[in-house]
Amino acid sequence: MTSGKTHVCPAAISGILDNRIRRWLQDPRKILVPYVEEGMEVLEVGCGPGFFTGELARMVGEKGKVVAVDLQEGMLRKVREKIRGSGLEGRIVLHRCEEDRLGVSGSFDLVFLFYVVHEVADKRGLFRQLQGLLKDGGVVYLAEPPFEVSGKAFEKTLRIAGEEGLVVVGKPKRFPDKVAVLKKL
């Protein structure tokens, strides 16, 4: 879900998104543990090469499900290769979205948006779709990168989310990231 005026990391250089240094700085388990429980259904928008996908699948367990969405088939191929033979294949559904439409159905306990919303041209449309996919009581975890998204731009994004029925219920501290947790009104 993006458009010509935004930048999306090409799949060919996705290794920069999935490496040991990043794992040390942004440990998926530490980030996810307050929000993920066994049996949950999770929508991961902008999964990239699967930096969070495998950990999400382990955490939701055998009865849970992760729908990992990306605009680029190359990124989804990388996730597919990464999980092959891991025992997680049955918990992860890979889905290629369109620039302006997620194209998924269902209802989710958690929508996970890590470093992706700034790449979306139609943020209003994205939040409208997410509001419709979120279970009652479910949450949206939204994190944006510190050097690409200003505080003012992040607050504007949260305002748009609010106008589409998603209200901020927390702002976890994850220096230097900008982070918010949202719920349906």
Side-chain angles (χ1 to χ4, degrees), residues 31-177:
I31 291 170
L32 296 167
V33 80
Y35 309 100
V36 181
E37 295 176 14
E38 198 165 321
M40 281 185 147
E41 294 191 26
V42 177
L43 175 62
E44 180 187 14
V45 179
C47 65
F51 182 76
F52 289 97
T53 312
E55 193 60 40
L56 281 165
R58 279 186 280 286
M59 293 174 78
V60 300
E62 291 180 14
K63 294 185 177 163
K65 176 174 77 170
V66 175
V67 177
V69 176
D70 205 278
L71 182 63
Q72 301 176 76
E73 185 58 43
M75 291 293 196
L76 297 174
R77 208 172 16 258
K78 289 187 179 290
V79 177
R80 199 173 291 112
E81 290 167 10
K82 183 185 284 187
I83 65 171
R84 185 175 294 126
S86 68
L88 300 174
E89 299 93 337
R91 302 177 198 177
I92 300 171
V93 175
L94 299 175
H95 176 77
R96 183 169 181 224
C97 65
E98 297 175 23
E99 286 190 13
D100 59 350
R101 199 169 75 74
L102 290 172
V104 296
S105 59
S107 57
F108 298 91
D109 300 291
L110 171 66
V111 174
F112 189 70
L113 305 164
F114 201 92
Y115 285 23
V116 70
V117 174
H118 68 281
E119 295 181 349
V120 177
D122 182 11
K123 290 171 183 51
R124 185 171 304 284
L126 172 66
F127 288 121
R128 186 176 305 125
Q129 290 176 70
L130 296 179
Q131 198 270 355
L133 292 168
L134 199 60
K135 288 181 182 177
D136 289 340
V139 299
V140 175
Y141 181 95
L142 166 63
E144 289 286 74
F147 305 111
E148 291 191 47
V149 179
S150 68
K152 186 175 178 179
F154 188 65
E155 290 305 317
K156 181 179 179 185
T157 295
L158 296 179
R159 222 174 11 265
I160 293 168
E163 291 166 2
E164 294 305 322
L166 296 169
V167 346
V168 176
V169 294
K171 287 192 174 179
K173 301 293 182 220
R174 272 223 32 88
F175 181 81
D177 299 337

